[in-house]
Amino acid sequence: MKRIAIDMDEVMADLHKKHLDLFNKNYNETLTADDLVGTRLWKIRPHAADDILAYVDDPTFFRDLEVMEGSQEVIKELSESYEVYITTAAMEHPTSFTAKYEWLKEHFPFLSDLQFVFCGNKSILQADYLIDDSPRHFKDFKGEGILFSAPHNKYEKGYVRVNNWDEVRRYFLS
C-alpha cells in the first residue's frame, strides 16, 4: 500500500478561522480570510505580531478548531486503500501536543494512535505523498508534495494543488 501523510492545521483543522476570530475580537477588527490571500495575519498586522503568534502557544488553542469540511469522510475512505498518517509539526509549539491529540481522537476516532506523527521537520517522514498547506514542508520531503489550498498559499506555484477534500478524493480514489 502507498502511504499518505496528511497535515493537521489548515488541512484537517481550520486554524485560520480561530486565529482571525481571536484577533478580530482582541483588536476590534473585521478581517476575513480574503484579507490573508498571499500572506499571513502577523505580516499584515506587524504591530500585533507577538500577540498573534502567541495565540497558538495557549495549551487549549488547538482543542476546539473546526473540522475542515469533508476531511473526516475522505480520510476514512483513503484509509481503506492507503496507509494514512496524520502528521503535524507540533514540536514547533510543544504546548499544543495534548490539545491536538485530543482533537484528533475526537474527530477522527477511526484512526489509531499509531497513525499520529507529532514532529518538527517533516522531511523525516517516509511517505509517498504529503498533503500540506505549507510548501516549506516539501523542500526535503522525498515523496510528492500536494499543496492544500489556503489563503496564504494562493500564489504558490510548482506543486500539485487540491482546493478541498472532494479534490483530494478525486486525486487519490478516481
Side-chain angles (χ1 to χ4, degrees), residues 6-13 62 86-88 100 103-104:
I6 304 170
D7 179 41
M8 181 179 155
D9 304 324
E10 277 313 295
V11 176
M12 299 167 63
F62 292 90
I86 308 309
T87 175
T88 181
K100 285 185 174 201
W103 186 91
L104 286 165

Side-chain angles (χ1 to χ4, degrees), residues 57-123:
D57 290 325
D58 178 332
T60 64
F61 178 86
F62 292 90
R63 185 60 184 94
D64 62 352
L65 297 179
E66 291 181 21
V67 177
M68 299 291 266
E69 184 178 345
S71 63
Q72 292 160 308
E73 298 80 13
V74 175
I75 291 171
K76 190 168 193 167
E77 291 172 32
L78 289 174
S79 67
E80 295 169 9
S81 301
Y82 293 87
E83 287 184 48
V84 172
Y85 292 89
I86 308 309
T87 175
T88 181
M91 297 305 105
E92 291 177 348
H93 303 281
T95 57
S96 72
F97 179 85
T98 299
K100 285 185 174 201
Y101 175 75
E102 290 172 352
W103 186 91
L104 286 165
K105 292 300 286 180
E106 176 183 349
H107 297 291
F108 295 84
F110 55 88
L111 295 173
S112 156
D113 290 357
L114 299 178
Q115 291 173 277
F116 303 150
V117 180
F118 295 88
C119 62
N121 184 334
K122 292 183 185 178
S123 70

Side-chain angles (χ1 to χ4, degrees), residues 118-131:
F118 295 88
C119 62
N121 184 334
K122 292 183 185 178
S123 70
I124 61 120
L125 299 172
Q126 295 297 312
D128 298 288
Y129 306 95
L130 171 60
I131 303 171

Side-chain angles (χ1 to χ4, degrees), residues 36-56:
L36 300 180
V37 171
T39 191
R40 300 282 193 158
L41 181 56
W42 60 87
K43 290 182 179 179
I44 63 172
R45 294 298 186 265
H47 66 283
D50 290 343
D51 288 345
I52 293 166
L53 293 169
Y55 292 156
V56 297

